[in-house]
Amino acid sequence: MKAYPFFHFPPLPDDLNQVMALKLKKVHLNASLFNNDVAFDWLYPEHFQLLSLKHWTPLAIARKAAEFLAEPDARVLDIGSGVGKFCLAGGYHFPETHFFGAEQRHELICQAEEAKCYTALFNVNFIYANITQINFKEFDHFYFYNSFYENIDPDNQIDDTIELSESLYAYYTLYLFKALDEKPAGTRLVTFHSFEQEIPPSFKLADMACNGLMKMWIKA
């Protein structure tokens, strides 16, 4: 018996065929990007790939953190989002949650926006601003991969385009402490490699992972 190829009937218009092909391509493309860190870091120029190990959130950590923070229609803020890796990973795995990244380096914002365009994740947005310019009332939950630390670690700074100092570390830490302290009960926070100086006592530890390097908090 001769096998004939299957065709839609009635035939789909060419433009619809193209849309379906693009959607299929996007699904497979994003799946391959979010399989491992090497594949994902390919989105960025080599210089930023080399920074990934110390400065960008690993995909496994990002997914677990986002799972704790994600709720339908919730607005999650990454405090110091770098090239946007956490937000993009969270947005991919949890499409009903809105992920925002605040970053004060213009070049990193540009890299994050390019990666967002490539992945076409429409529940992800980036804000070009210093953290002190952010209105914390606009967000429900927070992720913090100790983006202040390079102020006290001159050997591992991303670049020299912004002011860095020990006094700024103390200032930002206190600012974040106060901003979090004003959030309502039920606010969730995930910290990664944090000294916990920015966490008000009203936040209670709910869980931890990665040998205690990642901690999940809920405000009582």
Side-chain angles (χ1 to χ4, degrees):
M1 179 177 176
K2 185 176 181 181
Y4 290 90
F6 172 79
F7 293 101
H8 286 278
F9 188 82
L12 290 172
D14 289 342
D15 56 346
L16 187 55
N17 272 316
Q18 292 174 3
V19 169
M20 292 178 65
L22 287 173
K23 286 184 177 180
L24 185 62
K25 181 179 179 182
K26 175 182 177 296
V27 168
H28 288 292
L29 172 63
N30 280 351
S32 64
L33 285 176
F34 291 97
N35 276 340
N36 61 73
D37 290 285
V38 173
F40 185 91
D41 292 344
W42 171 84
L43 285 171
Y44 306 102
E46 183 178 0
H47 170 66
F48 296 104
Q49 294 179 33
L50 296 175
L51 291 171
S52 182
L53 187 61
K54 289 186 177 180
H55 292 284
W56 321 141
T57 302
L59 289 176
I61 295 295
R63 183 172 185 174
K64 190 168 184 65
E67 182 179 13
F68 179 74
L69 300 170
E71 294 175 331
D73 293 323
R75 295 163 64 91
V76 175
L77 177 67
D78 180 2
I79 302 166
S81 54
V83 294
K85 192 171 180 179
F86 167 77
C87 289
L88 294 168
Y92 173 73
H93 290 293
F94 302 96
E96 295 184 354
T97 301
H98 306 283
F99 291 87
F100 296 81
E103 172 56 52
Q104 64 176 328
R105 284 181 166 94
H106 185 261
E107 187 176 15
L108 299 189
I109 282 288
C110 291
Q111 293 296 330
E113 289 287 359
E114 287 188 16
K116 173 191 168 181
C117 289
Y118 193 85
T119 57
L121 293 168
F122 299 109
N123 60 328
V124 175
N125 289 281
F126 297 104
I127 306 164
Y128 176 38
N130 182 281
I131 194 62
T132 60
Q133 299 170 299
I134 298 297
N135 182 0
F136 276 67
K137 294 179 181 179
E138 295 181 353
F139 304 97
D140 303 299
H141 307 303
F142 302 91
Y143 175 72
F144 180 63
Y145 178 11
N146 208 347
S147 51
F148 308 154
Y149 182 70
E150 62 173 328
N151 281 281
I152 57 175
D153 184 17
D155 294 330
N156 289 295
Q157 294 174 354
I158 294 174
D159 58 34
D160 59 359
T161 61
I162 61 171
E163 182 182 354
L164 297 167
S165 68
E166 291 185 12
S167 60
L168 275 175
Y169 175 85
Y171 174 70
Y172 290 148
T173 299
L174 181 59
Y175 185 92
L176 181 55
F177 181 99
K178 291 179 178 179
L180 291 173
D181 202 33
E182 294 175 357
K183 295 300 295 180
T187 298
R188 295 190 170 210
L189 167 70
V190 175
T191 58
F192 187 46
H193 284 277
S194 167
F195 295 142
E196 302 177 22
Q197 296 168 316
E198 72 286 343
I199 304 174
S202 53
F203 279 79
K204 306 303 180 184
L205 184 65
D207 200 358
M208 65 176 66
C210 196
N211 296 319
L213 293 177
M214 181 173 71
K215 294 184 177 180
M216 290 149 272
W217 313 80
I218 302 177
K219 188 170 186 183

